[in-house]
């Protein structure tokens, strides 16, 4: 099996410090955010299963704690998406553009 110059160029970029930094920045955002969301979701499920009295507590009118926490799942999803886009625009895309420019040159 022969290695083409394109493959060896990609291997050099992948082993380089800029690509390593790009991966570090991505993982530094994605892993903690994923863990936080999964913990938040698990808390919601556990409360729904083991604390139905708490979840059925009325806050205002027919609005319950469970309903607010359930809607909070949607809000947190949109918030995470917003934060990721902002993070990518500021910290990932400029570095990815430099890497791409170096490959295309």
């Amino acid at each position: 099996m022969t290695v083409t110059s394109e493959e060896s160029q990609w291997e050099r970029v992948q082993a380089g410090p800029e690509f390593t930094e790009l991966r570090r920045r991505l993982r530094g955002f994605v892993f903690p955010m994923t863990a936080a969301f999964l913990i938040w979701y698990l808390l919601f499920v556990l409360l729904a299963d083991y604390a139905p009295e708490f979840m059925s507590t009325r806050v205002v009118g027919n609005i319950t704690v469970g309903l607010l926490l359930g809607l909070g799942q949607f809000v947190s999803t949109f918030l995470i998406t917003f934060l990721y886009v902002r993070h990518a625009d500021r910290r990932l895309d400029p570095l990815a553009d430099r890497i791409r420019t170096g490959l295309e040159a």
Side-chain angles (χ1 to χ4, degrees):
M1 175 178 188
T2 60
V3 177
T4 66
S5 66
E6 186 176 307
E7 287 174 339
S8 63
Q9 183 181 21
W10 169 247
E11 289 171 355
R12 278 194 308 275
V13 169
Q14 189 177 12
E18 284 186 322
F19 191 80
T20 301
E21 176 64 16
L22 181 63
R23 280 195 331 237
R24 186 192 67 76
R25 289 180 187 185
L26 176 67
R27 290 176 180 167
F29 179 87
V30 171
F31 289 156
M33 197 61 67
T34 300
F37 183 80
L38 289 175
I39 290 168
W40 159 233
Y41 180 72
L42 181 62
L43 176 67
F44 175 73
V45 171
L46 290 174
L47 285 172
D49 193 32
Y50 294 107
E53 310 83 30
F54 172 71
M55 295 293 271
S56 63
T57 303
R58 293 182 188 273
V59 178
V60 176
N62 288 331
I63 310 276
T64 63
V65 170
L67 179 62
L68 291 177
L69 291 177
L71 292 173
Q73 294 289 318
F74 290 100
V75 171
S76 63
T77 300
F78 290 116
L79 177 64
I80 290 169
T81 301
F82 168 78
L83 292 173
Y84 176 77
V85 168
R86 190 176 73 176
H87 176 74
D89 286 346
R90 293 179 180 178
R91 308 249 316 139
L92 302 177
D93 292 347
L95 186 52
D97 289 342
R98 282 198 308 263
I99 293 170
R100 182 175 40 254
T101 301
L103 279 169
E104 293 172 348

